[in-house]
Amino acid sequence: MHELSIVSSVVETVTESLAAYPGARVLEVRLRVGALASVVVESLEFCWGIATEGTPLAGSLLVVKVVPVVARCGKCAEDVELASLQSFRCPRCGEPVTDLRQGRELEIDSIEIEENP
Amino acid sequence: MTTRIVELRKGILKKNDELAAGLRGRFGQAGVLVLNLVSSPGTGKTAFLERTLKELRDRGARVAALVGDLETDNDARRLAASGAPVRQINTHGICHLDAEMIDKHLAGWEGVELDGLDYLFIENVGNLVCPSSYDLGEKVRVALLSVTEGEDKPLKYPTLFNSADAAVITKMDLAEPCGFDRELALKNINEIRPGIRIFETSSKTGVGMGEWLDYLAAERSRERFGRP
């Protein structure tokens, strides 16, 4: 259960970046979370209200996009999306894969803000 | 009122990652091999580390350990019996160690200089989920699994096992009474992390420890002298 610390770090980073937009209100915060990031999306959403209370992010919506795991298959010489987290093999040819290209992301993609006229 | 989308593209754990990268640089420069031990509570991390510290010291290696725990210093006291310097990190409810805690506890650690160490072990908080997100600057992440936990643990916690550099199966002396299916466990670990080095050990009987210590020595010389 480290989702609260992750959410708190999101609030901190977004608050810092708001310095460039004085008086702006945050409507939405969009995250990219890899399927291998060890983060439970429901817990992030659950913590969001508590963590944003009393901050410029209060009342904003958290939108999480889960990024699937993509690995390089040496045999197919192509990037392939894993079918399941229980098997790190190429879904096409069955070759074990170790070179992950995507799936561990834990990042703030963008925010939607409402600016004062 | 106008709305606008601001692209941020910032890593959420950026601060931890930067701090960890700094630590990794310091460890590399000092030539100390740093390992991060992760498992569920009760796998036998402390017993395994106790035996590892003792046997490394018997071989003349200079070792130290940082030990994460929610509240107590029981593990640190157990490990200190090996004669190695041990420092406790109490996380006070936080379910993982992070790079900042490592940095803080390295500073002002009486009698311990990175330059004077061959190995530094970090025993993480017993948890198979959260520690996988936090880089501590380690060279080797070790996932431990005991024969009493069930062979499907790697399948249940793929995020942790996939991020590991080595896997250790503990309590092999109990394999038979527990009906431990060794082949299945090895297959499951390999399914999640193909090709990973796996050590089958018992901290009680010492089985498998020789192979583990040889692996440590090889990893350490790679850390100190670079890849062959």
Side-chain angles (χ1 to χ4, degrees):
Chain A
M1 256 310 287
H2 58 312
E3 280 77 3
L4 185 58
S5 32
I6 287 175
V7 162
S8 307
S9 158
V10 171
V11 171
E12 197 182 315
T13 306
V14 171
T15 306
E16 280 168 16
S17 61
L18 282 177
Y21 308 93
R25 199 166 71 89
V26 181
L27 303 176
E28 207 170 283
V29 176
R30 298 167 189 171
L31 308 184
R32 277 165 51 86
V33 174
L36 270 183
S38 290
V39 170
V40 181
V41 173
E42 290 75 21
S43 303
L44 291 178
E45 292 165 348
F46 178 77
C47 298
W48 189 245
I50 306 161
T52 55
E53 208 177 284
T55 76
L57 285 76
S60 66
L61 187 68
L62 181 71
V63 180
V64 181
K65 186 182 175 200
V66 176
V67 181
V69 181
V70 171
R72 185 76 181 170
C73 172
K75 216 168 166 185
C76 298
E78 257 180 71
D79 289 353
V80 291
E81 189 177 316
L82 294 197
S84 132
L85 287 187
Q86 275 67 48
S87 180
F88 283 71
R89 289 175 182 275
C90 173
R92 285 186 216 159
C93 71
E95 183 78 357
V97 292
T98 52
D99 183 7
L100 300 192
R101 299 295 171 92
Q102 180 187 288
R104 292 201 177 278
E105 292 78 359
L106 199 46
E107 61 182 38
I108 309 170
D109 186 40
S110 60
I111 56 174
E112 188 177 346
I113 57 173
E114 189 177 65
E115 289 183 289
N116 270 333
Chain B
M1 290 281 172
T2 51
T3 65
R4 95 149 82 183
I5 308 239
V6 182
E7 304 275 339
L8 291 182
R9 300 213 171 268
K10 281 191 175 154
I12 296 172
L13 299 177
K14 195 163 157 265
K15 278 181 189 160
N16 186 78
D17 292 344
E18 285 170 357
L19 208 46
L23 286 171
R24 186 167 287 113
R26 278 168 62 195
F27 298 151
Q29 207 140 39
V32 52
L33 182 72
V34 179
L35 299 99
N36 177 7
L37 273 51
V38 189
S39 79
S40 318
T43 298
K45 279 190 300 303
T46 309
F48 178 72
L49 188 49
E50 237 176 330
R51 182 126 196 175
T52 301
L53 292 177
K54 188 186 168 296
E55 295 203 9
L56 281 173
R57 279 170 60 86
D58 290 347
R59 287 188 176 199
R62 300 164 301 172
V63 296
L66 288 169
V67 189
D69 190 82
L70 295 172
E71 300 295 346
T72 76
D73 67 348
N74 295 351
D75 292 351
R77 280 191 281 122
R78 264 173 70 187
L79 292 171
S82 69
V86 177
R87 194 164 202 201
Q88 183 73 51
I89 304 177
N90 278 134
T91 61
H92 302 294
I94 295 174
C95 51
H96 58 267
L97 294 177
D98 63 29
E100 192 182 357
M101 298 178 198
I102 302 303
D103 191 39
K104 270 190 188 156
H105 285 80
L106 284 175
W109 188 359
E110 217 172 300
V112 175
E113 292 293 337
L114 288 178
D115 286 340
L117 288 180
D118 299 315
Y119 302 95
L120 172 65
F121 293 87
I122 303 170
E123 182 183 336
N124 220 308
V125 178
N127 181 338
L128 272 179
V129 183
C130 313
S132 61
S133 301
Y134 293 87
D135 185 1
L136 304 181
E138 75 269 22
K139 186 67 180 270
V140 181
R141 184 177 288 185
V142 186
L144 295 94
L145 162 78
S146 67
V147 300
T148 56
E149 288 170 65
E151 300 82 0
D152 60 349
K153 209 100 191 223
L155 304 180
K156 288 181 176 170
Y157 298 92
T159 59
L160 191 276
F161 279 88
N162 182 264
S163 75
D165 303 295
V168 172
I169 302 176
T170 59
K171 309 188 190 178
M172 280 305 284
D173 52 301
L174 296 176
E176 217 180 298
C178 289
F180 178 66
D181 187 340
R182 172 179 175 269
E183 293 304 321
L184 182 60
L186 297 180
K187 178 177 173 286
N188 286 343
I189 295 171
N190 262 298
E191 207 54 47
I192 299 302
R193 184 73 153 127
I196 191 174
R197 278 293 298 270
I198 304 172
F199 301 91
E200 300 168 61
T201 69
S202 164
S203 308
K204 198 170 171 187
T205 66
V207 70
M209 292 306 289
E211 198 190 332
W212 163 246
L213 297 185
D214 291 344
Y215 166 79
L216 291 179
E219 286 298 312
R220 184 188 164 261
S221 56
R222 278 218 297 211
E223 174 77 350
R224 179 152 292 194
F225 306 113
R227 285 168 194 276

